[in-house]
Amino acid sequence: MTTINKTVLSMGEMASGAKLTVPVYSIKGRGEGPSVYIQANMHGAEVQGNAVIYQLLELLKTLPVLGDITLVPYANPVGANHKNGEYTLGRFDPITGVNWNRMYHYNQAQITDFVDHLTNQPQAEIDQQFQQLLVGNIEQKLEHNQYGLTTGQRIAYQLQKMAHQADLVLDLHTGPISSKHLYCPEYAKASASYFDIEHTILIPDGFDGAMDEATFCPWWSLSKQLATKGIAYQLERESFTVELGSQELIDLDVAEQDARSILSYLQYKKVIDTSEFVPSNITRYGCYLKDYKAFYSPMGGMVDYLADFGQVLRAGQPLARILRMDNYGDGDALHYISLDHDVIPILHFASASVNQGTELYKVFSKYFELV
Amino acid sequence: MTTINKTVLSMGEMASGAKLTVPVYSIKGRGEGPSVYIQANMHGAEVQGNAVIYQLLELLKTLPVLGDITLVPYANPVGANHKNGEYTLGRFDPITGVNWNRMYHYNQAQITDFVDHLTNQPQAEIDQQFQQLLVGNIEQKLEHNQYGLTTGQRIAYQLQKMAHQADLVLDLHTGPISSKHLYCPEYAKASASYFDIEHTILIPDGFDGAMDEATFCPWWSLSKQLATKGIAYQLERESFTVELGSQELIDLDVAEQDARSILSYLQYKKVIDTSEFVPSNITRYGCYLKDYKAFYSPMGGMVDYLADFGQVLRAGQPLARILRMDNYGDGDALHYISLDHDVIPILHFASASVNQGTELYKVFSKYFELV
Amino acid sequence: MTTINKTVLSMGEMASGAKLTVPVYSIKGRGEGPSVYIQANMHGAEVQGNAVIYQLLELLKTLPVLGDITLVPYANPVGANHKNGEYTLGRFDPITGVNWNRMYHYNQAQITDFVDHLTNQPQAEIDQQFQQLLVGNIEQKLEHNQYGLTTGQRIAYQLQKMAHQADLVLDLHTGPISSKHLYCPEYAKASASYFDIEHTILIPDGFDGAMDEATFCPWWSLSKQLATKGIAYQLERESFTVELGSQELIDLDVAEQDARSILSYLQYKKVIDTSEFVPSNITRYGCYLKDYKAFYSPMGGMVDYLADFGQVLRAGQPLARILRMDNYGDGDALHYISLDHDVIPILHFASASVNQGTELYKVFSKYFELV
Amino acid sequence: MTTINKTVLSMGEMASGAKLTVPVYSIKGRGEGPSVYIQANMHGAEVQGNAVIYQLLELLKTLPVLGDITLVPYANPVGANHKNGEYTLGRFDPITGVNWNRMYHYNQAQITDFVDHLTNQPQAEIDQQFQQLLVGNIEQKLEHNQYGLTTGQRIAYQLQKMAHQADLVLDLHTGPISSKHLYCPEYAKASASYFDIEHTILIPDGFDGAMDEATFCPWWSLSKQLATKGIAYQLERESFTVELGSQELIDLDVAEQDARSILSYLQYKKVIDTSEFVPSNITRYGCYLKDYKAFYSPMGGMVDYLADFGQVLRAGQPLARILRMDNYGDGDALHYISLDHDVIPILHFASASVNQGTELYKVFSKYFELV
C-alpha cells in the first residue's frame, strides 16, 4: 500500500487577512525511477485537473511506485476562488491582468556561464549541479527582497521550486470549451503516444513564462550548449501541459480515464512498476506551435459554433455562424465564417457573445500524423 | 407574404456617449386575433431567445397572421454587452446589483380606484380603458422627471410600454445550465399544454418586479376585484416566461424547434391562421412556485453535478458530489449531496466552483401531472 | 485596564475549501449599562469602520466600561476579499447581485402573536422574552435546514444573532465618495446629537432587509402594538447605520475622531463611565428618508462633480457638469446638471464614468435643523 | 480662428452589434511646424485626458497653429465603457487580460533592412520613406488577414497609423492615485522642462508594446543605425506618455492647466506661433526607468497610505501602515512599511484593500535634478 504524505503551503493573503493555502501530496518511491511533479488548477476555472489528481491518488494507493511523485491540486487558490458573476475568472490576476501561467522564472544567461565552468563530470553530476542552480535561483527570488514579489510570482515560484526538483513535470490545464490536447516539447515527441490524447502541439525552445517551458527550457538549452561543445548529454527531463477538455467542469468519471492516461505515461517512464496501463490505439495528430492558430471574430455578435473538435474541417466549410439580429430585415442577420484551407478545430470560446476581435476558435492550421 | 417592419429604440448611453439601441420588429395582422409581444435577452447571458426570434420571423414570413405581433431581440443591450472575463454578466446591473428582470412597474392601488369608477361598460370598453391606464402610467414614468430614472428602469419601462399594448406576452429567458421550463400564471394553466415544454411552474398573483408579473398581475387583479363586485369578466390576457434551456449558447436548429413550439401556442390563441403546428405528445408536469426550491451548497468546493434534468430523482439519490481535495487524506474528499424526498431537478449552477451557500440546483420539490 | 476577549466565527467557505473567518472582540462591562453591538465592513469596499473599531478598542482599553460591548470588524469577509480589478466589489454578492445589507431577517407577523400572549409582566420581563424570541428565530434559521442558506444569509444571520443580544447597535458603513452621515430611526432622533455628524436621515418603521432595521423594527413595532393595547412601554433599543465618509479608504487618524464620536454616544447612553467625550458644537440637519433622493444621470458621459457635500446648493446651481467629447464641434460637449430647488448634497458616485441612469448624487431634498 | 475638423473612426463591435466609435479632431496648420498627435483614455479609467483635449481644443481655437494637430479623446471605447461594479475596468481587455497599452506594433528587424538600402538621400527624404514604411506596415496589419485581429490590436493599430504620421506624439494617461509625471525617452530629456510636471521617468530604447515606444523606438533605432554607418541624422521625433494624476476623475479646471502645460511644449516645438505659454519655474527630477520601482505588499490587509507624492521620503520613514484587525489582541494589528533608502513616492494603489503581493507604491528609488 502506497503511503501518501500531505503538507500545506501558504500561497497568499487577502485583504481580511485570510490565508490561502495549497495541499501538497507526496509519495516516496523506491528510489529507482524518475521523480514526477504534477499540478492542477493554475488557472482558476480549469478545475478538472483537481479531479484527475484525486483519481491519481486513488489509483496510486495500490500501485508499486518507483520514483517520487508530488501532486499539487488547487495550485493557485487566488485564481480558483475568484468568482466573477457565476463563473470563475481565473486566467489572469484580476488586479493586473497578468496571466497566472506567464509568471514563472527562467534565466537563460546563466546557462552559458554554467556550461563554461563545467569540467569533465559525468552526466549525473552535471544534472545534480544544474538542478541545484535552478532551485537555488528560485529560492533566491522567494527570499524576501526589499521591494517584494507580486501575488502571482509568489505562487509561481513556490510551485516552480517543487517542479525543478522533479524529472518529469505535468501541468494540468483545460481549454475554454475544448477537446483534450497536449503541449509537448519537440524533443519529447515520442512520449506523446503514451497519453490517450489525439492532438499534440509541438513547442520549440522558447520561454514565454509558462510552467512547462520554465522546466524544460533550461534542460533543453543545457543539452544544446553541451552539444556545441561536443559533450555527450542525454536529455531526459520532460514537461507537458495536459489540456483535459473544457473549463468550469468537474467530472470524476472522465477524471479516472485521464488519470489512467497519465499513469500510462508514468509506466512508460518507469515511475510505476506495472504493465497495467495500455495507451489507446488511436491515431494521434501533431501540429507545430506556429501553426496552431487562433481565429478572431471579424464582427461582434452571437455565435452558433458549428465545427466539431478533432475532425478535419474542409476549406470553405463553416466554423461558426454569427447572429446579428440588429441587421435582420435590412442586412445580413446570419454570417457564416470559414477558412480557405483545411484545419482541425481544437477548442472554441466559452460564450456565445463575442466582441469584434474575440478569439472564436483555435485550430491546427497544418497537421501531420504523429508516429 | 408577411411584411415585417423594423424600428429602433434607444435604450441607453455609455460613458463614451455610445448609444445602445434595440431593434423592434412588428407584423401587422389582419386585425382579427389577439396581439402578441415577444422579447428576448433581458438577462445578458440568456441569448438563445434572439435565435428563437430569428426563427419566428423566418417562419412568420409565410404564415397568415391575424393579430399584431411585436418581437424585440436584444431587449437589454446594457446586459448583453457586459462581458466579465469570457462570460456575459447579465443577470443584474453590474453597478447596482439589481436584477434586470425586477425593475418593471406595477401599482396595485390604482386598480381598486379604477374598479370603483367603473359604470356598466361592456368588457371590451373596460379592457380598453384599463389598458390606457397601464400604458399611461408607464408613459408618465418615462417622461423625464427631475430626479431621473435608473439605467434598468429606462429599459424596463420602454419594454413594458410595448408589452402592455399586447394581449399575450412572452418573455424569453434561459436558466444557467438548464432544461426547458415555463413560468405560467395559475389561471392560464390550460395554455401550458401548447408549448413543447415538459415542466411548468405555476405562479400566483404576486408582483416581484418581473415582466410576466407586471403584465398579468394587473389584469388578474382587475378580474378578481370585478368578481367581488359581481361583474362578469373573462380574463384573456396571458403572460409567460419561457425558459429555453441553458445560457451562453446560441443554437439556431434548437431555436427553430422552440419557434415552432411558440407558434403552436399562437395558433391555439388564433394569432395565426393555420393548423400546421401540433404540440408534442409529451407528459407535462406542474409545480407551484412555493414548491420550486433552490438547494444551496452546504460547503465550498468543486461540484460534479450528477442528477439529470426533468427526471424524478428519488430520495437519497445524489444530486451532486462535491470535491474537497484539501481534505484528501485527513478528511472526506468527496461529499455526496441528496434530499430526503423525491424531486425533479430542473437546472443547476453554471460553474463547478461554488462558495458555501451558492445555489446548486433548482428542483420541483412537489409536482403533479398537468392536464 | 479593560480586558478584550477574542473569538473567531466561521463565515464561509470558498471553492478551494478556504475558510473565511471573522474576529469577534468582546468586553465584559460591570453589568450596569446597556449592551452594545458594533460591526463594520458588511459592504466589502467600506473598510474605514475596521479602523474605527481598532481605535475604539485602543480607547476602551483605559476606559471604565459598564455595559457589555461586542465589536466585529471584517463582518463580511466574502465581500471584503472580492477584488474586481483594482477595487473591491462589495455592495452585493457577486454571484447573485443581492445587496449584502438586505439579507437580514424580520418576521413582523410573530410580534402580534407575542403581544397577544403577554400577561402583566414588567417591561424587563417583556424585554427578555422578546429578545429570546428574536434570537431563537435566528437560531432556527441558522440550524441547517435541508435546502440550506445562501452565502449572504449565513453571514447576516450570524451577525444578527449577536446584534439581537445587544441594546444598542451600530453598523459602520461608508458612502461611495461621501460626507459623514447617520441613519437614525425617527424615535431615536435625540441620540443623533451625540455623534459628531452633521447630517442625519430619519427612517420610518419599515423593513427593507438592513441590519439597523432588522434590530430596531421589532422593538419599535412591539412598542407600538403595546401602545395600542394601552400597555406602557419605554422603547430604549436603538440602532444606527453610521456612514463614515468614503469607501476604499483607511485613515487611522480620522478613525480616531470617529471612535471618539461613537464613545460620546456610548457615554450618553451610560455604556462607559466617563465624561471625557463632548459632542462637537455643530449645527445638525435632518431629512426624512422619503426626502433623501438619488439623482440619476440623464445621459452617459464623464462627470466633473461640482457640488460640495454638506452645504446648501441653491436651485439652479450646478451639481455637476458632464463631458461628452463625442459631441464636441457639432453638439454640446459640456452639460450642466442642476435642480429647481435647494438641496444639500451628501454623497456622489465613485467614478467619473457613468452610464445613462447611473446614480450621480444623493441629496437632502428637504431638510431641517435637528434639535 | 482655428478650424477644427471632426471625423469618426469605428473601433469595435459588441455582442448586440453596437458599434463603438472614436471622434478624431484635426487642425490643419499653416504647414510650417512639426505635426502632432495627441490621444487620451487608452486605459478606460484614465479619463482626465479627455478633459485636457477639451481644453486644448478650446485654447487652440484662438491660437495661430503652424503644424497639423490631431486629437483623439476616448481612444479606446471598449475600455472606457467597461464598468465593473462602480468603477471602470480599463487597464486590460477584460476577456484576455492583455494591457490595452501593450498591443502596438514594432518590427525592429526591418529597420536594418531599410538602412541597408539607403543611398545618399537627404534626411527629409529618409524621413519620408521611413514614415511610409511604418505607416505601410500598420496598414498591412489592419487589412483583413484571414485569421483576423484581436479586439485590442484593431484599436491600437488604427491609433498607431495616425500617430506614425505625426512628428510629436503625446499619449495622455493617469496613474491609479497619483501625482503628475512624464515618461520621456532619454534622448528627449531637454523637452521635459517645457511641461509643468516635476517628475520624469527617462526610458531607454526598448519596446514593450506601448504607444510612446512604438512611435519613438523606430526613429531612435534608425538614428543609431545610421550613426554606426557614419550617416549624420538629426533625431527630431518625440513621444511622451503624460501621466496627468489620478484615474476615475474628471476636473475641467485642472485640465485647463494641463492643456497649458502641453501648449508650452508645443510652443517650444514651434507647433503654435505664440509666446504666451511659460513653463513653471519648478525643480524637475528625473529617474531612469530601471530605478522606477514598484513596492509589493508583503501581506494582505487594509492600507493607510502615508507617504506624500513628489517629496523625498527618508529611509526608515513609513510608506504606509497596514491594518490587520484579525491579529488584534494576539498579534500585530498595525504594520509599518518602510524602505532602507530615500525614495520619491510617485503614485499608490487605488484601493485600501490589498492582497499579499499587490503593488502598493511606485517610487523613484534613485533620482537626480533634471536640467
Side-chain angles (χ1 to χ4, degrees):
Chain A
M1 188 68 173
T2 307
T3 303
I4 299 169
N5 290 301
K6 178 181 180 179
T7 55
V8 171
L9 278 180
S10 179
M11 280 299 182
E13 287 175 3
M14 301 166 85
S16 76
K19 277 156 192 57
L20 295 176
T21 59
V22 163
V24 177
Y25 297 96
S26 57
I27 293 168
K28 189 90 202 127
R30 292 189 204 144
E32 297 163 33
S35 58
V36 184
Y37 172 81
I38 301 175
Q39 72 177 20
N41 206 187
M42 189 63 187
H43 288 140
E46 304 180 6
V47 292
Q48 176 70 355
N50 300 314
V52 172
I53 287 179
Y54 173 83
Q55 298 291 19
L56 279 169
L57 287 168
E58 290 291 292
L59 288 163
L60 285 165
K61 274 182 182 170
T62 57
L63 289 169
V65 178
L66 303 175
D68 299 345
I69 306 178
T70 301
L71 304 103
V72 184
Y74 303 156
N76 174 4
V78 178
N81 289 321
H82 195 82
K83 301 301 290 186
N84 222 19
E86 296 161 79
Y87 300 93
T88 306
L89 179 74
R91 284 192 68 74
F92 46 79
D93 183 323
I95 296 177
T96 63
V98 182
N99 188 321
W100 294 113
N101 192 24
R102 294 292 177 280
M103 297 198 240
Y104 295 94
H105 176 69
Y106 176 41
N107 180 358
Q108 189 165 15
Q110 72 183 168
I111 297 176
T112 312
D113 194 55
F114 176 83
V115 170
D116 286 347
H117 287 79
L118 282 181
T119 49
N120 262 351
Q121 297 100 322
Q123 175 163 352
E125 211 169 290
I126 294 177
D127 284 353
Q128 197 193 347
Q129 287 177 14
F130 192 64
Q131 188 178 49
Q132 275 173 9
L133 179 72
L134 297 176
V135 173
N137 257 332
I138 296 297
E139 281 173 344
Q140 196 153 338
K141 288 265 172 195
L142 274 170
E143 273 167 35
H144 192 65
N145 64 54
Q146 186 159 209
Y147 281 90
L149 293 173
T150 69
T151 305
Q153 287 168 340
R154 191 182 305 271
I155 294 169
Y157 296 167
Q158 288 194 73
L159 299 171
Q160 189 172 356
K161 187 178 155 187
M162 291 185 284
H164 273 325
Q165 296 172 63
D167 300 302
L168 309 174
V169 172
L170 299 179
D171 193 9
L172 308 185
H173 282 250
T174 78
I177 296 182
S178 178
S179 60
K180 296 178 188 177
H181 53 289
L182 187 71
Y183 284 89
C184 170
E186 292 174 4
Y187 69 80
K189 187 168 60 170
S191 293
S193 299
Y194 292 87
F195 293 92
D196 291 344
I197 294 179
E198 290 183 24
H199 299 89
T200 292
I201 298 136
L202 294 170
I203 46 180
D205 185 13
F207 179 68
D208 193 33
M211 170 57 103
D212 53 358
E213 299 159 354
T215 47
F216 74 64
C217 281
W219 297 95
W220 197 352
S221 185
L222 174 67
S223 74
K224 288 195 288 192
Q225 294 197 26
L226 289 172
T228 63
K229 294 209 153 193
I231 302 175
Y233 184 83
Q234 182 78 13
L235 177 53
E236 282 167 338
R237 307 280 173 144
E238 296 185 356
S239 300
F240 303 88
T241 298
V242 184
E243 302 275 343
L244 297 162
S246 300
Q247 70 192 13
E248 293 284 7
L249 287 176
I250 286 285
D251 186 316
L252 281 148
D253 298 330
V254 173
E256 195 193 333
Q257 298 164 23
D258 288 318
R260 289 182 173 279
S261 155
I262 287 169
L263 289 172
S264 158
Y265 168 70
L266 297 188
Q267 169 186 300
Y268 160 66
K269 286 292 179 183
K270 303 201 189 312
V271 178
I272 50 175
D273 184 16
T274 175
S275 57
E276 177 182 345
F277 302 98
V278 183
S280 294
N281 183 15
I282 48 177
T283 308
R284 290 173 174 79
Y285 292 92
C287 169
Y288 288 104
L289 185 61
K290 69 178 173 52
D291 299 322
Y292 184 46
K293 295 225 175 192
F295 180 89
Y296 301 100
S297 184
M299 67 188 72
M302 295 182 183
V303 185
D304 187 357
Y305 297 94
L306 296 174
D308 289 333
F309 297 142
Q311 297 176 25
V312 174
L313 182 81
R314 295 295 168 202
Q317 291 298 307
L319 270 169
R321 48 187 170 187
I322 302 184
L323 181 67
R324 278 290 295 271
M325 279 308 292
D326 58 319
N327 289 337
Y328 192 91
D330 51 10
D332 289 331
L334 273 188
H335 298 255
Y336 283 81
I337 305 292
S338 64
L339 291 163
D340 69 2
H341 53 277
D342 295 2
V343 299
I344 300 179
I346 298 297
L347 59 84
H348 69 62
F349 190 57
S351 161
S353 296
V354 301
N355 292 334
Q356 190 181 32
T358 296
E359 183 184 300
L360 281 189
Y361 266 94
K362 290 193 85 170
V363 301
F364 282 14
S365 70
K366 292 177 188 167
Y367 47 88
F368 43 85
E369 207 167 311
L370 266 191
V371 280
Chain B
M1 187 68 173
T2 307
T3 303
I4 298 169
N5 290 302
K6 178 180 179 179
T7 55
V8 171
L9 278 180
S10 179
M11 281 298 183
E13 286 176 3
M14 301 167 85
S16 76
K19 277 157 192 55
L20 295 177
T21 58
V22 163
V24 176
Y25 297 97
S26 57
I27 294 168
K28 188 90 202 127
R30 292 188 204 143
E32 298 163 31
S35 57
V36 184
Y37 172 81
I38 301 176
Q39 73 176 20
N41 205 187
M42 189 63 186
H43 286 141
E46 304 179 6
V47 293
Q48 176 69 355
N50 300 314
V52 172
I53 286 179
Y54 173 84
Q55 297 291 18
L56 279 169
L57 287 168
E58 290 291 292
L59 289 163
L60 285 165
K61 274 182 182 169
T62 56
L63 288 170
V65 178
L66 303 175
D68 299 345
I69 306 178
T70 301
L71 304 103
V72 184
Y74 303 155
N76 174 5
V78 178
N81 289 322
H82 195 82
K83 301 300 290 186
N84 223 19
E86 296 162 77
Y87 300 92
T88 306
L89 179 73
R91 284 192 67 75
F92 46 79
D93 183 323
I95 296 176
T96 63
V98 182
N99 188 321
W100 295 112
N101 192 24
R102 293 293 177 278
M103 297 198 239
Y104 295 94
H105 176 70
Y106 176 41
N107 180 357
Q108 189 166 15
Q110 72 183 168
I111 297 176
T112 312
D113 193 56
F114 176 82
V115 170
D116 286 347
H117 288 79
L118 282 182
T119 49
N120 260 350
Q121 297 101 322
Q123 175 162 351
E125 211 169 290
I126 294 177
D127 284 354
Q128 196 194 348
Q129 287 176 15
F130 192 63
Q131 187 178 50
Q132 275 172 10
L133 179 72
L134 297 176
V135 173
N137 257 331
I138 296 297
E139 281 173 344
Q140 195 152 338
K141 288 266 171 194
L142 274 171
E143 271 166 37
H144 192 65
N145 63 54
Q146 185 158 210
Y147 280 91
L149 293 172
T150 69
T151 305
Q153 287 168 341
R154 191 181 306 270
I155 295 169
Y157 296 167
Q158 288 195 73
L159 300 171
Q160 189 173 356
K161 186 178 156 187
M162 291 186 283
H164 273 325
Q165 296 173 64
D167 300 301
L168 310 174
V169 172
L170 299 179
D171 193 9
L172 308 185
H173 282 250
T174 79
I177 295 181
S178 178
S179 61
K180 295 179 187 177
H181 53 289
L182 187 72
Y183 284 88
C184 170
E186 291 174 5
Y187 69 80
K189 188 169 60 171
S191 293
S193 299
Y194 292 87
F195 293 91
D196 291 344
I197 294 179
E198 290 182 25
H199 297 90
T200 292
I201 297 136
L202 295 171
I203 46 181
D205 185 12
F207 180 68
D208 192 33
M211 170 57 103
D212 53 358
E213 299 158 355
T215 46
F216 74 64
C217 282
W219 297 95
W220 196 352
S221 185
L222 174 68
S223 74
K224 288 195 288 191
Q225 293 197 27
L226 289 171
T228 63
K229 294 207 153 194
I231 303 175
Y233 184 83
Q234 182 77 15
L235 177 53
E236 282 167 337
R237 307 281 174 144
E238 294 185 356
S239 301
F240 304 88
T241 299
V242 184
E243 302 275 343
L244 296 162
S246 300
Q247 70 193 14
E248 293 285 6
L249 288 176
I250 285 284
D251 187 316
L252 281 149
D253 298 330
V254 173
E256 195 193 333
Q257 298 164 23
D258 288 318
R260 290 181 172 279
S261 156
I262 286 170
L263 289 172
S264 158
Y265 168 69
L266 297 188
Q267 168 185 300
Y268 160 67
K269 285 292 178 181
K270 303 202 190 310
V271 178
I272 50 175
D273 184 16
T274 175
S275 57
E276 177 183 344
F277 302 99
V278 183
S280 295
N281 183 15
I282 48 176
T283 307
R284 290 174 174 78
Y285 292 91
C287 169
Y288 287 104
L289 185 61
K290 68 178 173 53
D291 300 322
Y292 184 46
K293 296 226 175 192
F295 179 88
Y296 300 101
S297 185
M299 69 188 73
M302 296 184 181
V303 184
D304 187 356
Y305 297 95
L306 296 174
D308 289 333
F309 297 142
Q311 296 176 24
V312 175
L313 182 80
R314 295 296 168 202
Q317 291 298 307
L319 271 169
R321 50 188 169 186
I322 302 184
L323 181 67
R324 279 290 294 271
M325 280 307 292
D326 57 318
N327 290 338
Y328 192 91
D330 50 10
D332 289 331
L334 273 187
H335 297 255
Y336 284 81
I337 305 292
S338 64
L339 290 163
D340 68 4
H341 52 277
D342 295 2
V343 298
I344 301 180
I346 298 297
L347 59 83
H348 69 62
F349 190 58
S351 160
S353 295
V354 301
N355 292 334
Q356 189 181 33
T358 296
E359 183 184 300
L360 281 189
Y361 266 94
K362 291 194 85 170
V363 300
F364 283 13
S365 70
K366 292 177 188 168
Y367 48 87
F368 44 86
E369 208 168 308
L370 266 191
V371 280
Chain C
M1 188 67 174
T2 307
T3 303
I4 298 169
N5 291 302
K6 178 181 179 179
T7 55
V8 171
L9 277 181
S10 178
M11 280 298 181
E13 287 175 1
M14 300 167 85
S16 77
K19 276 157 192 56
L20 295 176
T21 59
V22 163
V24 177
Y25 297 97
S26 57
I27 293 169
K28 189 88 202 128
R30 292 192 203 140
E32 297 164 32
S35 57
V36 183
Y37 172 81
I38 301 176
Q39 73 176 20
N41 206 188
M42 188 62 186
H43 287 140
E46 303 179 7
V47 293
Q48 176 69 355
N50 300 314
V52 173
I53 287 179
Y54 173 84
Q55 297 291 19
L56 280 169
L57 287 168
E58 291 292 292
L59 288 163
L60 285 165
K61 274 182 181 169
T62 57
L63 288 169
V65 179
L66 302 175
D68 299 345
I69 306 178
T70 301
L71 304 104
V72 184
Y74 303 156
N76 174 5
V78 178
N81 289 321
H82 195 82
K83 301 301 289 187
N84 223 19
E86 295 161 78
Y87 300 93
T88 305
L89 178 75
R91 286 191 66 76
F92 46 79
D93 183 325
I95 296 177
T96 63
V98 182
N99 189 320
W100 295 113
N101 192 23
R102 294 294 177 277
M103 296 197 239
Y104 296 95
H105 176 70
Y106 177 40
N107 179 358
Q108 189 165 14
Q110 73 183 167
I111 297 177
T112 311
D113 193 56
F114 176 82
V115 171
D116 286 347
H117 287 79
L118 283 181
T119 50
N120 262 350
Q121 296 102 320
Q123 174 163 352
E125 210 169 291
I126 293 176
D127 284 354
Q128 196 193 348
Q129 287 176 15
F130 192 64
Q131 188 178 47
Q132 275 173 11
L133 179 73
L134 297 176
V135 173
N137 258 332
I138 296 297
E139 281 174 343
Q140 195 152 338
K141 288 266 171 193
L142 273 170
E143 273 167 34
H144 191 65
N145 63 55
Q146 186 159 208
Y147 280 90
L149 292 173
T150 69
T151 305
Q153 287 168 340
R154 191 182 306 271
I155 294 169
Y157 295 167
Q158 288 194 74
L159 300 171
Q160 190 173 354
K161 187 178 155 187
M162 291 185 284
H164 274 324
Q165 295 172 64
D167 299 303
L168 309 173
V169 172
L170 298 178
D171 193 9
L172 308 185
H173 283 249
T174 80
I177 295 180
S178 178
S179 61
K180 295 178 189 178
H181 53 289
L182 186 72
Y183 285 89
C184 169
E186 292 173 5
Y187 69 80
K189 189 169 58 170
S191 294
S193 299
Y194 292 87
F195 293 91
D196 290 345
I197 295 178
E198 290 183 25
H199 298 90
T200 292
I201 297 136
L202 294 170
I203 45 181
D205 185 13
F207 180 67
D208 193 34
M211 169 57 102
D212 54 358
E213 300 158 353
T215 46
F216 73 64
C217 282
W219 297 96
W220 197 351
S221 186
L222 175 68
S223 74
K224 288 195 286 190
Q225 293 197 27
L226 289 172
T228 62
K229 292 207 153 195
I231 303 175
Y233 184 83
Q234 181 78 15
L235 177 53
E236 283 167 337
R237 307 280 173 144
E238 295 185 356
S239 301
F240 303 88
T241 298
V242 184
E243 302 274 344
L244 297 162
S246 300
Q247 69 192 14
E248 293 285 7
L249 288 177
I250 285 284
D251 187 315
L252 281 148
D253 299 330
V254 173
E256 194 192 333
Q257 299 164 21
D258 289 317
R260 289 182 173 279
S261 155
I262 287 169
L263 289 172
S264 158
Y265 168 68
L266 297 188
Q267 169 186 299
Y268 160 65
K269 285 291 177 183
K270 303 202 190 312
V271 178
I272 50 176
D273 184 16
T274 175
S275 57
E276 176 182 347
F277 302 98
V278 183
S280 295
N281 183 16
I282 48 177
T283 308
R284 290 174 174 78
Y285 293 91
C287 169
Y288 289 105
L289 185 62
K290 67 177 173 52
D291 300 322
Y292 184 46
K293 295 228 177 192
F295 179 89
Y296 300 101
S297 184
M299 68 188 72
M302 294 181 184
V303 184
D304 187 355
Y305 298 94
L306 297 173
D308 288 334
F309 297 142
Q311 296 177 26
V312 174
L313 182 82
R314 295 295 168 204
Q317 290 299 306
L319 271 169
R321 49 187 169 186
I322 302 185
L323 181 67
R324 280 290 295 269
M325 280 307 293
D326 57 318
N327 291 338
Y328 191 91
D330 50 10
D332 289 331
L334 272 188
H335 298 255
Y336 283 82
I337 305 292
S338 65
L339 291 162
D340 68 3
H341 52 277
D342 295 2
V343 299
I344 302 179
I346 298 297
L347 60 84
H348 69 62
F349 189 57
S351 161
S353 296
V354 301
N355 292 334
Q356 190 181 33
T358 296
E359 183 184 299
L360 280 190
Y361 265 94
K362 291 193 85 171
V363 300
F364 282 13
S365 70
K366 293 177 187 165
Y367 47 88
F368 43 86
E369 208 168 309
L370 265 191
V371 280
Chain D
M1 188 68 174
T2 307
T3 303
I4 298 169
N5 290 302
K6 177 181 180 180
T7 55
V8 171
L9 277 181
S10 179
M11 281 299 181
E13 288 175 2
M14 301 166 85
S16 77
K19 275 156 194 55
L20 295 176
T21 60
V22 163
V24 177
Y25 297 97
S26 55
I27 294 169
K28 189 88 202 129
R30 293 189 203 143
E32 297 164 33
S35 57
V36 184
Y37 172 81
I38 301 176
Q39 72 176 21
N41 206 188
M42 189 62 187
H43 287 140
E46 303 178 8
V47 293
Q48 176 70 355
N50 300 314
V52 172
I53 287 180
Y54 172 83
Q55 298 291 19
L56 279 169
L57 287 168
E58 291 292 292
L59 289 163
L60 285 166
K61 275 181 181 169
T62 57
L63 288 170
V65 178
L66 303 175
D68 299 345
I69 306 178
T70 301
L71 304 103
V72 184
Y74 304 155
N76 173 5
V78 178
N81 289 321
H82 196 83
K83 301 300 289 186
N84 223 19
E86 295 161 78
Y87 300 92
T88 305
L89 177 74
R91 286 191 67 76
F92 46 79
D93 182 324
I95 297 176
T96 64
V98 182
N99 189 320
W100 295 113
N101 192 23
R102 294 294 177 277
M103 297 198 240
Y104 296 95
H105 176 70
Y106 176 40
N107 180 358
Q108 189 166 14
Q110 73 183 169
I111 298 176
T112 311
D113 193 56
F114 176 83
V115 170
D116 286 348
H117 287 79
L118 283 181
T119 50
N120 262 350
Q121 297 100 321
Q123 174 163 351
E125 209 169 292
I126 293 176
D127 283 354
Q128 195 193 351
Q129 287 176 15
F130 192 63
Q131 187 177 49
Q132 275 173 10
L133 179 73
L134 297 175
V135 173
N137 257 333
I138 297 297
E139 282 173 343
Q140 195 153 338
K141 287 266 171 195
L142 274 170
E143 273 167 35
H144 192 66
N145 63 55
Q146 186 159 209
Y147 281 91
L149 293 173
T150 70
T151 305
Q153 287 168 341
R154 191 182 306 271
I155 295 169
Y157 296 166
Q158 288 194 74
L159 300 170
Q160 190 173 354
K161 187 178 154 186
M162 291 186 284
H164 273 325
Q165 295 172 63
D167 300 303
L168 309 173
V169 172
L170 299 179
D171 193 10
L172 308 185
H173 282 250
T174 80
I177 295 180
S178 178
S179 61
K180 296 178 188 177
H181 53 290
L182 186 72
Y183 285 89
C184 169
E186 291 174 6
Y187 69 81
K189 189 168 59 170
S191 294
S193 299
Y194 292 87
F195 294 91
D196 291 344
I197 295 179
E198 290 183 25
H199 297 90
T200 292
I201 298 135
L202 294 170
I203 46 181
D205 185 13
F207 179 67
D208 193 34
M211 170 56 103
D212 53 358
E213 299 158 353
T215 47
F216 74 64
C217 281
W219 297 95
W220 197 352
S221 186
L222 174 68
S223 75
K224 289 195 287 191
Q225 294 197 27
L226 290 171
T228 63
K229 292 206 153 196
I231 303 175
Y233 184 84
Q234 181 79 13
L235 177 53
E236 284 167 336
R237 308 280 173 145
E238 294 185 356
S239 300
F240 303 88
T241 298
V242 184
E243 302 275 342
L244 297 162
S246 300
Q247 68 192 16
E248 293 285 7
L249 288 176
I250 286 284
D251 187 314
L252 281 147
D253 299 330
V254 173
E256 194 192 333
Q257 299 165 21
D258 289 318
R260 289 182 174 279
S261 156
I262 287 169
L263 289 171
S264 157
Y265 168 70
L266 297 188
Q267 170 186 299
Y268 160 66
K269 285 290 177 183
K270 303 200 190 312
V271 178
I272 50 176
D273 184 17
T274 176
S275 58
E276 176 183 347
F277 302 99
V278 184
S280 296
N281 183 15
I282 48 177
T283 308
R284 290 174 175 78
Y285 293 90
C287 169
Y288 288 104
L289 185 62
K290 67 177 174 52
D291 299 322
Y292 185 45
K293 294 227 177 191
F295 179 89
Y296 301 101
S297 184
M299 68 188 73
M302 295 182 183
V303 184
D304 187 356
Y305 298 94
L306 297 174
D308 289 333
F309 297 142
Q311 296 176 24
V312 174
L313 182 82
R314 295 295 167 204
Q317 290 299 307
L319 271 169
R321 49 187 169 186
I322 303 185
L323 181 67
R324 280 290 295 270
M325 280 306 293
D326 58 318
N327 290 338
Y328 192 91
D330 51 9
D332 289 332
L334 273 189
H335 298 255
Y336 283 82
I337 305 293
S338 65
L339 291 162
D340 68 3
H341 52 278
D342 295 2
V343 299
I344 301 179
I346 297 297
L347 59 84
H348 69 62
F349 190 58
S351 160
S353 296
V354 302
N355 293 333
Q356 189 181 32
T358 296
E359 183 184 300
L360 280 190
Y361 266 95
K362 291 193 85 171
V363 300
F364 283 14
S365 69
K366 293 177 186 166
Y367 48 88
F368 43 86
E369 208 167 310
L370 266 191
V371 280

